[in-house]
Amino acid sequence: MVNKKEILESGLNLDNSYNNLPKLFFSEVNLNTVPSPKIVIFNNSLAKSLGLNSNNLKSKEGVSLLAGNKRIKEGIFIAQAYAGHQFGNFAILGDGRTVLLGEQITPLGERFDIQLKGSGKTPYSRGGDGKAALGPMLREYIISEGMYGLGIPTTRSLAVIKTGEFVFRQSREEGAILTRVASSHIRFGTFEYAYHMGTYEELEKLANYCLKRHFPHIKDKNDKYLNLLNEVIKVQASLVAKWQAVGFIHGVMNTDNMTISGETIDYGPCAFMDNYNPDTVFSSIDIQGRYAYKNQPIMAEWNLCRFAETLIPLLDKNKERAISIAQDAVSNFYDLYYLNWISNMRFKIGIFNQEEQDKVIIEDLLSIIEKYNEDYTNTFISLTFNNYEDKDIFKSKEFSNWYKVWKERLKRQPQSKETVAKLMKESNPAIIPRNHRVEDVIEAANKGDYNVMKKFLDVLSRPYDHSKDQEEYSKPPKVSDNNYRTFCGT
Ligand code: AMP
Ligand code: MG
């Protein structure tokens, strides 16, 4: 047990508001201890913003806390219950390998969940071992911090701890625990769980809790549940448009992996696209391409339909009317998504004002990049820096025609060349967590070398710097990564 003094020294300031929800929504968990926890990576800047004391948490005592070996006296560890539509099929799930330590109240008064992922079995583990392997936890750490660097809402990673035991996946791997930080871990699937397994009052309590925690500005409105639905539609429209703009493919957009807060969560088989191809799928289990790059907005809308269904009892006493309210709300998603997307894409090509033909200009560029099988990120970097390498795409008739149309378009706005260049630099990352780099980091880490990862994380934290020292990280893989496969066996 951690004593009061140790808690104060670590900076932990945990609340447990989620535990006040009805018992339906969680189970208390007694954590197993792990044999010899050791820090692999620790996020000092995140710790600081949370009000945590890095040195203290990196000490032997702190590590044993992050490994779940020590209980926090005030906190009750819980696993959260949820359901979800997995590849279209409904299932009862829940935290099978994560526990919530509590909600850290930061010096600025913000509230963040602190979770341990890979800490052992919970009542929701079903057949699983509740554990996680080092590689996938490092992958989540790197990609989530990369997403944060890109300015995309995401859960964050505070630490990865090696447990000193082995887990058995495709092969024997070192076990690890990731400390995950999120504005909450409430998922669409949490509402599906309430709708299917709970009473009206329990669903109402969950909805009110989310309003208070995530959307306090609408919590007292008359039509607050419709407002809740609209807010979730809004944050997801913005999120998925950001994914599309950087070429991020989540890979497993099941409703249990979509948050009410609009943060990206559950970095399993996700990956960034190198060459532009809208059909790109990385996940080995996504045989139908359900979650392919081009389908992400459509799947977000499908997921929002499942979320909206759970709110029907709260939207109106008359079921028919409630259904129609829900349908109307979700039918706004695609337009909202499109507005976010076109605005992101305009910025990527330096456009400030709006013209109807912008959509065609953007789509024409994308189809040229696709035709020439070129790197998505780096083509925008070429446009940003007017730096056209000796490549077929830039020598092609299509590109030179497009380029003229684009330059003409830029003239139809008042902004100077410098202002346009600045916008493009801020909108086009040079650095994304490319698959081959992530693999190199994990390979080195598996051999005990964590320096490759530290360097990469530094570069990922400032993807819009466009500095010389980062150049080698912007290179695509030597051989095309189109056949790269990610695995859910995390
Ligand atoms: P994910 O694919 O990580 O989104 O997980 C889907 C579901 O499987 C969730 O309910 C997880 O908690 C559960 N799960 C994943 N891996 C394990 C594991 N090793 N042990 C127990 N449950 C797991
Ligand atoms: Mg999940």
Side-chain angles (χ1 to χ4, degrees):
M1 201 76 93
V2 186
N3 64 37
K4 265 237 151 57
K5 184 168 163 280
E6 281 173 339
I7 290 198
L8 282 177
E9 282 171 359
S10 67
L12 280 169
N13 179 22
L14 294 175
D15 188 32
N16 300 91
S17 71
Y18 193 89
N19 305 32
N20 296 326
L21 280 171
K23 280 265 180 273
L24 174 79
F25 293 111
F26 61 92
S27 298
E28 288 182 22
V29 178
N30 271 323
L31 282 181
N32 301 328
T33 53
V34 299
S36 59
K38 285 196 181 66
I39 290 228
V40 173
I41 186 91
F42 187 90
N43 194 333
N44 291 314
S45 67
L46 175 59
K48 191 165 176 226
S49 69
L50 292 170
L52 299 172
N53 179 340
S54 296
N55 287 338
N56 186 280
L57 282 172
K58 284 191 271 191
S59 71
K60 198 162 173 259
E61 295 298 306
V63 171
S64 86
L65 208 139
L66 295 176
N69 276 3
K70 273 198 163 191
R71 276 188 81 104
I72 302 165
K73 217 189 255 171
E74 278 82 359
I76 304 159
F77 291 173
I78 61 160
Q80 296 179 326
Y82 52 84
H85 276 83
Q86 299 193 304
F87 291 91
N89 303 310
F90 182 74
I92 299 291
L93 302 161
D95 286 335
R97 55 160 173 178
T98 48
V99 294
L100 182 65
L101 291 188
E103 300 142 22
Q104 171 74 1
I105 309 298
T106 71
L108 293 176
E110 297 160 308
R111 180 182 296 269
F112 288 98
D113 277 6
I114 301 190
Q115 246 198 8
L116 302 183
K117 181 167 179 177
S119 50
K121 280 192 184 173
T122 77
Y124 311 110
S125 295
R126 296 170 288 162
D129 59 2
K131 294 180 179 164
L134 179 62
M137 293 306 98
L138 290 179
R139 199 159 189 282
E140 171 152 352
Y141 189 112
I142 296 160
I143 301 184
S144 64
E145 286 306 303
M147 291 288 266
Y148 178 75
L150 289 164
I152 299 178
T154 175
T155 63
R156 298 206 51 198
S157 299
L158 181 67
V160 173
I161 309 282
K162 271 203 299 193
T163 59
E165 61 187 8
F166 289 103
V167 295
F168 296 89
R169 298 293 182 260
Q170 269 108 342
S171 56
R172 194 176 83 142
E173 292 183 50
E174 284 189 280
I177 296 173
L178 171 82
T179 313
R180 179 161 72 179
V181 175
S183 70
S184 92
H185 287 85
I186 302 169
R187 303 146 190 268
F188 289 13
T190 318
F191 277 82
E192 292 179 273
Y193 190 80
Y195 178 78
H196 287 280
M197 309 297 283
T199 60
Y200 175 89
E201 286 72 28
E202 285 164 333
L203 175 65
E204 194 179 35
K205 282 188 176 144
L206 177 67
N208 287 337
Y209 178 80
C210 283
L211 281 163
K212 192 168 165 218
R213 185 156 175 186
H214 291 297
F215 310 107
H217 59 292
I218 51 161
K219 77 177 192 332
D220 298 319
K221 290 208 170 187
N222 280 343
D223 49 0
K224 58 183 178 180
Y225 302 119
L226 173 57
N227 273 276
L228 171 63
L229 176 56
N230 283 333
E231 288 295 321
V232 175
I233 290 170
K234 225 194 281 176
V235 293
Q236 287 293 336
S238 161
L239 178 68
V240 177
K242 287 189 166 120
W243 289 357
Q244 299 302 94
V246 295
F248 172 76
I249 302 170
H250 183 284
V252 61
M253 283 176 72
N254 295 332
T255 54
D256 50 303
N257 293 334
M258 307 280 291
T259 57
I260 297 300
S261 67
E263 288 177 349
T264 313
I265 195 171
D266 278 0
Y267 292 87
C270 65
F272 278 76
M273 186 163 63
D274 293 306
N275 294 351
Y276 181 71
N277 179 352
D279 293 320
T280 308
V281 179
F282 291 114
S283 171
S284 58
I285 57 167
D286 192 0
I287 295 152
Q288 313 277 330
R290 180 181 171 92
Y291 299 132
Y293 174 78
K294 68 174 181 196
N295 290 342
Q296 295 192 122
I298 301 158
M299 292 326 304
E301 187 175 21
W302 192 91
N303 289 341
L304 282 161
C305 288
R306 305 289 79 71
F307 173 59
E309 279 164 6
T310 72
L311 295 181
I312 281 170
L314 303 177
L315 289 174
D316 199 291
K317 283 201 182 74
N318 176 309
K319 195 172 174 187
E320 294 305 309
R321 230 177 5 238
I323 291 172
S324 141
I325 293 169
Q327 277 170 343
D328 280 356
V330 178
S331 71
N332 292 325
F333 169 80
Y334 208 88
D335 286 350
L336 251 180
Y337 159 75
Y338 174 75
L339 287 176
N340 279 282
W341 176 81
I342 191 121
S343 149
N344 295 338
M345 298 308 288
R346 276 195 184 103
F347 287 172
K348 283 174 84 67
I349 55 170
I351 297 178
F352 286 86
N353 59 357
Q354 299 177 17
E355 281 186 9
E356 216 166 288
Q357 62 158 319
D358 294 343
K359 180 171 186 268
V360 177
I361 298 181
I362 293 160
E363 284 176 350
D364 282 352
L365 173 64
L366 292 175
S367 49
I368 298 169
I369 308 177
E370 184 182 358
K371 179 175 170 190
Y372 286 89
N373 199 22
E374 267 306 327
D375 189 84
Y376 176 76
T377 305
N378 287 350
T379 305
F380 285 96
I381 291 295
S382 296
L383 298 176
T384 303
F385 290 95
N386 264 308
N387 180 10
Y388 304 104
E389 293 164 57
D390 183 21
K391 281 182 174 171
D392 289 348
I393 182 172
F394 299 132
K395 287 187 278 187
S396 72
K397 191 89 195 117
E398 293 106 313
F399 183 78
S400 71
N401 287 342
W402 179 86
Y403 186 83
K404 274 184 217 130
V405 173
W406 176 47
K407 288 286 159 175
E408 283 304 312
R409 172 66 184 87
L410 290 178
K411 284 184 199 154
R412 293 196 297 278
Q413 59 181 7
Q415 282 77 12
S416 67
K417 273 190 181 154
E418 292 70 33
T419 313
V420 167
K422 184 168 178 287
L423 176 69
M424 289 181 70
K425 279 183 206 161
E426 288 165 0
S427 311
N428 291 307
I431 312 293
I432 50 165
R434 290 184 188 268
N435 308 318
H436 65 294
R437 284 278 173 192
V438 177
E439 294 301 326
D440 287 350
V441 165
I442 294 171
E443 199 184 312
N446 276 329
K447 290 179 190 148
D449 174 2
Y450 306 139
N451 280 327
V452 184
M453 172 167 51
K454 284 182 183 148
K455 270 194 210 148
F456 192 37
L457 284 168
D458 172 53
V459 172
L460 287 174
S461 72
R462 41 193 179 93
Y464 303 98
D465 259 16
H466 304 290
S467 57
K468 269 263 173 260
D469 66 307
Q470 297 186 330
E471 256 170 29
E472 62 166 302
Y473 290 93
S474 67
K475 291 190 184 129
K478 288 207 176 75
V479 185
S480 159
D481 250 2
N482 282 354
N483 293 324
Y484 182 74
R485 284 285 163 268
T486 53
F487 295 93
C488 231
T490 54

